[in-house]
Amino acid sequence: MTRDLILPPSVDVDGNFALLAAPKSAITTWPPTLADLKAATTVDITYSLTTDGWTHGKAQDATTDPRFALRQVLGGFGPVTHTASLTYVYGGDEDEADPLLQEGEEYILFARYATPWEEDFAATDKWDIFDVIAGTKVRNTASGGKFTKTQALAPRRNVLEDYTLAA
């Protein structure tokens, strides 16, 4: 039997990502809808981010299940912990992320992956949706670089992954 080499196409990150943020008070239903995403209160902060400016981490606890007289310890999985943080530029007249994101305030973030940024938002798009509280802003200093801030975000409810927004 011969096997065919299947090499799936890949998508560049550059130009194929969107991150939008809205104050939680502007989103009246959970999960949010496509109308919430397109509302004037939702801000596109994609290009405020530095090249490493969006971090969404996920880790799952492991559990053990030792048994009497069994030499091998069995295992399983426990809760999942999501983390998120932003690094964005600031100091210009047209800043978007810095004035929007305030410590202690809650926001809804919408992340769309592997789709060209300039494509209109469609009912078939897949989104990761985060209800987060913003942590403190930390200024970063880099000689010869741009002024940036890093801000941790803590999820306040289950993160919706690969979610299609209702129209």
Side-chain angles (χ1 to χ4, degrees):
M1 175 177 154
T2 60
R3 294 179 18 175
D4 290 332
L5 174 64
I6 299 173
L7 202 60
S10 59
V11 177
D12 290 330
V13 172
D14 294 345
N16 290 299
F17 175 75
L19 185 67
L20 293 88
K24 184 176 180 182
S25 60
I27 308 295
T28 58
T29 61
W30 188 262
T33 65
L34 190 58
D36 291 324
L37 175 73
K38 293 181 176 184
T41 51
T42 302
V43 179
D44 188 335
I45 62 172
T46 306
Y47 290 114
S48 294
L49 305 177
T50 61
T51 56
D52 61 347
W54 169 242
T55 304
H56 170 214
K58 184 167 56 170
Q60 186 170 29
D61 292 346
T63 61
T64 59
D65 185 8
R67 304 294 175 94
F68 183 72
L70 183 63
R71 293 187 60 150
Q72 180 179 351
V73 176
L74 307 176
F77 295 102
V80 173
T81 302
H82 288 267
T83 58
S85 69
L86 300 171
T87 301
Y88 48 85
V89 296
Y90 77 96
D93 292 337
E94 296 179 6
D95 285 347
E96 293 177 337
D98 190 41
L100 174 66
L101 300 167
Q102 299 300 314
E103 179 179 353
E105 296 295 320
E106 287 191 53
Y107 300 90
I108 305 299
L109 298 181
F110 303 86
R112 181 177 72 173
Y113 302 87
T115 302
W117 176 87
E118 60 275 357
E119 268 191 27
D120 285 337
F121 305 135
T124 56
D125 288 345
K126 301 271 189 214
W127 296 86
D128 285 358
I129 303 172
F130 304 79
D131 177 344
V132 297
I133 187 167
T136 190
K137 297 178 183 185
V138 179
R139 284 189 176 90
N140 305 311
T141 55
S143 177
K146 303 292 183 189
F147 286 107
T148 64
K149 292 180 182 176
T150 299
Q151 192 167 20
L153 306 166
R156 303 295 284 168
R157 68 170 76 208
N158 285 339
V159 174
L160 304 177
E161 296 180 279
D162 294 326
Y163 185 80
T164 303
L165 296 168

